[in-house]
Amino acid sequence: MSGNFLDLAQPGVQQLSPYVPGKPVDELARELDLDPASIVKLASNENPLGASPKALAAIRDELAELTRYPDGNGFALKSLLAGQCRVELNQVTLGNGSNDILELVARAYLAPGLNAVFSEHAFAVYPIATQAVGAQAKVVPAKDWGHDLPAMLAAIDANTRVVFIANPNNPTGTWFGAEALDEFLQDVPEHVLVVLDEAYIEYAEGSDLPDGLDFLAAYPNLLVSRTFSKAYGLAALRVGYGLSTPVVADVLNRVRQPFNVNSLALAAACAALKDEDYLAQSRQLNESGMQQLEAGFRDLGLGWIPSKGNFICVDLGQVAAPVFQGLLREGVIVRPVANYGMPNHLRVTIGLPAENSRFLEALRKVLARG
């Protein structure tokens, strides 16, 4: 007996498109017969510094234990996070990247007949996680490319169980302040879990962004998710975490896969968390690189969306797909965001100064060709 296994899948899964990551360097090199060393990748919001030397040393020290399962409870990393984030050990949930935390929330709290609320132009994993478990996705129109928190509040109904909000937001880089967040959390019904996605928060220290940790004690329906993939430079190892009440953390641990964070990731994350110099260098490089790209866009007569992440969306004033393809032929990989409802924009990761210059030169060349 045979069947159409697409039709047999969950209705929400049938309607999904797979997440499309940034094009890898090796793939572009094969497609266009380019030297991989000549390609600049500014597509995936990776830290251009490379990993912390302390994290690399920790990985080397851990290699002899590859035959052993990792600490399924992640005690050492949880202990460090609890101390740094001013929470108890039982408030920390570790994930295989912060995406894993989002998936755990969806598996634990969403189901057919229930819904999740999130913004237009928000992270693609929100609809994937929501629809994959058969729940309804309620997408609220954005305001100035960012979250319209009052409108999101109005979209909550009796069947809402989760609200996903990102600060800064990916891919737009937009943000909201502490007062707006506090007002929003005050009015969210107690039965709704608010997931505050702070994947890029380390790049915004000292700015006008709120620290989600400051709100945890006051709002038991708040979960803050963070990652080591961005400012900490460990994207390949996939390690993130969620901070919440002990009750929510306990629920997530009931659906969390055993050993979801590997030993090398645990060791590297512990070392990276202690390397304050590396984090400061990452922030400084990002700030100067952001200024470099903004100046370049200004010279080209292009607009952009102000960003608090390690990326920026440039408005080309035309459909971006041909420009994206032209940049690929120049050996420069950025990220088209038409799938986010932004067909005229390209998202560009902040790179090293030379990489930023290479991108701007290539962009000027492609635009001049028309």
Side-chain angles (χ1 to χ4, degrees):
M1 182 177 179
S2 62
N4 185 325
F5 281 89
L6 175 60
D7 291 343
L8 293 171
Q10 292 272 3
V13 174
Q14 294 178 34
Q15 298 166 17
L16 284 173
S17 297
Y19 180 83
V20 180
K23 183 180 285 289
V25 168
D26 288 345
E27 181 179 328
L28 180 62
R30 289 193 303 270
E31 288 178 357
L32 299 182
D33 193 26
L34 298 174
D35 177 4
S38 72
I39 295 173
V40 171
K41 183 187 178 188
L42 301 175
S44 301
N45 301 344
E46 296 151 336
N47 191 324
L49 282 178
S52 156
K54 294 181 179 179
L56 294 175
I59 291 171
R60 287 191 291 269
D61 290 344
E62 191 67 29
L63 289 175
E65 298 298 319
L66 288 185
T67 58
R68 307 292 184 188
Y69 282 103
D71 175 5
N73 193 41
F75 178 80
L77 180 55
K78 279 187 176 181
S79 297
L80 285 173
L81 288 169
Q84 179 168 303
C85 299
R86 311 179 305 277
V87 297
E88 298 299 321
L89 203 67
N90 62 358
Q91 293 181 254
V92 183
T93 305
L94 297 182
N96 186 239
S98 59
N99 283 16
D100 196 21
I101 301 298
L102 307 179
E103 293 278 355
L104 293 177
V105 167
R107 289 179 60 201
Y109 289 103
L110 294 174
L114 302 176
N115 68 68
V117 172
F118 48 87
S119 177
E120 179 187 22
H121 313 311
F123 188 30
V125 168
Y126 305 157
I128 291 173
T130 300
Q131 291 176 224
V133 295
Q136 177 191 4
K138 298 186 73 175
V139 184
V140 177
K143 183 177 181 181
D144 299 326
W145 302 108
H147 290 60
D148 186 341
L149 293 179
M152 294 181 70
L153 188 66
I156 294 172
D157 61 28
N159 294 320
T160 304
R161 291 295 178 270
V162 177
V163 175
F164 293 108
I165 55 177
N167 206 34
N169 182 53
N170 175 31
T172 61
T174 51
W175 67 95
F176 46 81
E179 184 177 353
L181 176 60
D182 195 35
E183 290 177 356
F184 177 77
L185 292 172
Q186 286 180 32
D187 292 333
V188 172
E190 294 180 354
H191 72 272
V192 176
L193 181 65
V194 177
V195 178
L196 178 59
D197 183 349
E198 293 187 331
Y200 299 91
I201 193 67
E202 289 85 5
Y203 284 111
E205 184 177 270
S207 72
D208 50 357
L209 265 78
D211 184 339
L213 306 182
D214 294 338
F215 297 82
L216 277 175
Y219 298 104
N221 61 335
L222 174 64
L223 180 147
V224 176
S225 68
R226 293 184 174 181
T227 184
F228 285 88
S229 295
K230 307 304 180 184
Y232 288 104
L234 299 178
L237 290 180
R238 313 303 302 126
V239 54
Y241 58 99
L243 304 167
S244 63
T245 64
V247 172
V248 171
D250 174 63
V251 170
L252 299 187
N253 277 312
R254 297 180 187 209
V255 295
R256 180 178 62 86
Q257 290 293 317
F259 314 116
N260 63 329
V261 182
N262 68 73
S263 297
L264 302 184
L266 290 171
C270 286
L273 202 61
K274 298 174 185 177
D275 195 345
E276 296 179 0
D277 290 340
Y278 172 86
L279 188 58
Q281 188 180 0
S282 296
R283 290 186 183 123
Q284 183 179 18
L285 181 69
N286 192 66
E287 183 178 350
S288 60
M290 185 76 74
Q291 293 171 358
Q292 182 183 3
L293 289 187
E294 289 179 349
F297 297 151
R298 192 177 296 112
D299 289 344
L300 290 168
L302 300 174
W304 65 88
I305 303 173
S307 171
K308 291 292 187 182
N310 68 334
F311 57 88
I312 187 168
C313 276
V314 57
D315 184 355
L316 300 176
Q318 59 180 291
V319 175
V323 178
F324 168 70
Q325 292 297 330
L327 289 170
L328 291 181
R329 289 189 289 272
E330 295 294 326
V332 176
I333 309 173
V334 294
R335 189 65 181 268
V337 285
N339 60 316
Y340 284 96
M342 304 170 66
N344 291 358
H345 288 80
L346 291 174
R347 192 191 69 188
V348 186
T349 303
I350 309 301
L352 298 171
E355 293 174 326
N356 298 332
S357 294
R358 171 80 183 284
F359 158 69
L360 291 169
E361 291 167 6
L363 181 60
R364 183 183 298 275
K365 186 184 298 186
V366 171
L367 292 175
R369 287 201 294 258

